[in-house]
Amino acid sequence: MKKVTINDIARKLGTTPSTVSRALADNKRVSLKTRELVKKVAKEMGYQPNLMASSLRKGKSDLVGMIVPRINRHFFSNVISGVEEVLNPKGYSLLIMQSQENTDSEVKAVNSLMRNRVAGIIASLSVQTENLSHFQGVLDEGIPLVQFDRISNDLSGPKVVNDNYTGTYEATCQLLKSGYKRIAHFGGSELLKAYRERKKGYTDALLDKTGEVDKDIIFNDVITRDAGREMVKKVIDMGVDAIVCAGDYSAFGALEALGVLGVKVPEEFGVTGFGNEPFAEMIYPKLSSVEQEGREMGRIVARQMMDAIRGEQHTIEIAVPVKFIKRASSIR
Amino acid sequence: MKKVTINDIARKLGTTPSTVSRALADNKRVSLKTRELVKKVAKEMGYQPNLMASSLRKGKSDLVGMIVPRINRHFFSNVISGVEEVLNPKGYSLLIMQSQENTDSEVKAVNSLMRNRVAGIIASLSVQTENLSHFQGVLDEGIPLVQFDRISNDLSGPKVVNDNYTGTYEATCQLLKSGYKRIAHFGGSELLKAYRERKKGYTDALLDKTGEVDKDIIFNDVITRDAGREMVKKVIDMGVDAIVCAGDYSAFGALEALGVLGVKVPEEFGVTGFGNEPFAEMIYPKLSSVEQEGREMGRIVARQMMDAIRGEQHTIEIAVPVKFIKRASSIR
DNA sequence: TTTTTTTATACAAACGTTTGCGCATTATTG
DNA sequence: CAATAATGCGCAAACGTTTGTATAAAAAAA
């Protein structure tokens, strides 16, 4: 029941903890023979190093903290998965907390991670968050901070985002190519850069291809299914015949309402989403959407964290390529 | 850049670390006056306790390990979310690892968690896992183990599962009530109790209501969308007019194939799923399914863990109620 | 052989807490 | 007023590692 320590091993071998410690670390200062002997005995005794003691002494921990708005979101859980995939083989473990899109919880999460002396923090900001002092505190302590997806440029350090701009740019072009004339945008919160970029991709595409953009058919905060369902009814009356949505849920809501209204998609109306949620290709009609490679993003984030822990703290912004996936909802 | 410790606080106050430690812990052995003073100064200095040092000394950590097959699965990420919700307010943090449905990774995860001296481990077994010695080792060390969903009765300790049996029992009854005559079952792996229970719910319902069950139309390992799509073609030739699926993906595959074949659902054919994935009510026709309350399950799991950490290690199996949700795919 | 260098190991301090014990000082009791 | 009890605090050891320095033994050089 009692855990075996290096002292136990040392005692059994008539040597000292220091030698055992070095032997296990493959330090050349201890002879090959003893190194092997120690390792053998350690294994026999079922020795498991106490990482807390080790970290305490070394002043460096093997824990990496991660804060996401919600764990149970397709995109975020994929990112987590990718991060874990890279971090674990390197001997790091992931301490995960969710902010529930709420600044208070986010602050608590940061504090909790700091108390646990994590080697670094990976974070995607809650929508609510405006005051960033808790994260600034992390940086001030010299703890690496890697941001992803929901980032703030007011914080230094690596940032990894999707190429939101290109995603909606391509989606818009595709709708134009299909001959839709009056294309609206269902955007997200103005507060988040990700959504601002998506909107910009849409407007720039329109400007580039048609030379004009009508601000009256651009809507913020239409990201939920309900919002999409309601808003699409309004835009139909405005002569709109296609929408570029900043999310798949609002796009699905729109498709639902269109179905009820008897508006044919894609014949009379085009729709594109963003995120390529699993349901996108399961619904009818299949929804064109911008695929965000959450898993891959996670891997990139993790690599940035590894670099930062090693002391290479570059303040860069990496855009992970996205892929616009054409499906029935936007092709005619 | 240097972290402030209780020694720094003690020095500033002209007292000792022991007093500071006790003051922060609200120990009555130090006067109310000093307690308040210490806390005030601690806050001023931005003191954050070093949980590693604390845990090392106390021999108890605030970390709880969690192993799931895959983080990015709707059900699992929901459970994680629920666990986190309960554990965090109690001062525990979650160390999460994924086994990727692979025993090797599972073993590594267990070892990693043990090295981190977690207070307990929450686990859902990988399909592959047959040899349970890594988990037995956890129990032998006296570390609480709480299993959920994918459990093994060969390991002691609390287990939390869905009421799989009732879920498919009700689904089957509903299909019978709708007048379907020959009802097949698309099951999962025989190795997992969850799937065995689901199968039993189906067979028992048939026995109770019709007195007979045809083993020829019960299939194992039909859980993927592809498998469902293929298998449904076969069962149609066997005169089957409904299926109870042990998962939503195979059910969806079946619906797809039926659509292609021109078989009308629910008029000519009934389908039920299991899991109530988000897409279940977004597809056409909407899929009847058994809802598993992942979040709630997580909360229950977390509470069991709290009890176990407190030393109340009861070996019980808790069945979380499920809810059969009737939708178009099974009603006529 | 003696001296120097190398090699292998041991000693002890440190990381930041917690906690049993002891010692003053003050309050309570007979 | 002496004896006892209670209060508040300090001392020091301990948790399990790591690591700089010292020391002994062995190998190399003189």
Side-chain angles (χ1 to χ4, degrees), chain B residues 91-238:
Chain B
Y92 285 87
S93 298
L94 250 198
L95 220 43
I96 299 179
M97 329 226 78
Q98 40 188 348
S99 67
Q100 314 269 20
E101 299 287 14
N102 149 354
T103 307
D104 277 0
S105 303
E106 199 174 72
V107 172
K108 280 193 192 127
V110 169
N111 287 334
S112 175
L113 294 177
M114 293 302 278
R115 280 195 293 272
N116 275 291
R117 297 295 189 272
V118 292
I121 293 182
I122 294 169
S124 190
L125 273 43
S126 119
V127 238
Q128 239 193 45
T129 301
E130 301 194 45
N131 177 346
L132 296 163
S133 56
H134 47 306
F135 285 117
Q136 190 54 54
V138 171
L139 293 171
D140 293 347
E141 297 270 3
I143 307 294
L145 173 67
V146 176
Q147 297 181 73
F148 74 94
D149 195 51
R150 314 263 204 89
I151 65 168
S152 164
N153 288 319
D154 295 344
L155 295 166
S156 67
K159 297 167 192 69
V160 184
V161 293
N162 280 308
D163 189 352
N164 291 296
Y165 178 88
T166 307
T168 43
Y169 189 97
E170 289 185 5
T172 310
C173 289
Q174 209 272 309
L175 286 170
L176 287 168
K177 204 173 302 168
S178 280
Y180 296 101
K181 296 296 178 215
R182 196 159 151 75
I183 305 175
H185 179 58
F186 287 4
S189 164
E190 262 300 287
L191 295 173
L192 293 178
K193 194 178 170 191
Y195 289 119
R196 291 199 300 270
E197 291 290 314
R198 290 179 199 181
K199 187 197 289 185
K200 189 148 198 306
Y202 153 85
T203 51
D204 280 7
L206 285 182
L207 282 176
D208 290 355
K209 307 293 179 185
T210 73
E212 55 180 351
V213 24
D214 180 354
K215 293 217 173 82
D216 293 344
I217 53 174
I218 297 181
F219 306 88
N220 292 330
D221 298 306
V222 183
I223 29 165
T224 66
R225 183 168 164 183
D226 283 347
R229 202 156 31 203
E230 296 312 312
M231 192 57 82
V232 77
K233 295 176 193 159
K234 293 194 191 149
V235 299
I236 281 183
D237 296 337
M238 303 171 80

Side-chain angles (χ1 to χ4, degrees), chain A residues 71-72 77-78, chain B residues 69-80 98 101 150 249 277:
Chain A
I71 295 171
N72 54 342
S77 63
N78 270 306
Chain B
R70 305 209 117 97
I71 294 171
N72 56 342
R73 281 273 195 286
H74 176 244
F75 173 67
F76 288 122
S77 63
N78 270 305
V79 178
I80 294 175
Q98 40 188 348
E101 299 287 14
R150 314 263 204 89
Y249 288 92
E277 295 285 333

Side-chain angles (χ1 to χ4, degrees), chain A residues 6 18 21-22 29 47 57:
Chain A
I6 52 171
S18 27
S21 173
R22 284 192 250 257
R29 272 176 57 185
Y47 171 71
R57 170 62 231 241

Side-chain angles (χ1 to χ4, degrees), chain A residues 103-115:
Chain A
T103 308
D104 276 0
S105 303
E106 198 174 73
V107 172
K108 281 193 192 126
V110 169
N111 286 333
S112 174
L113 295 177
M114 293 302 278
R115 280 195 292 272

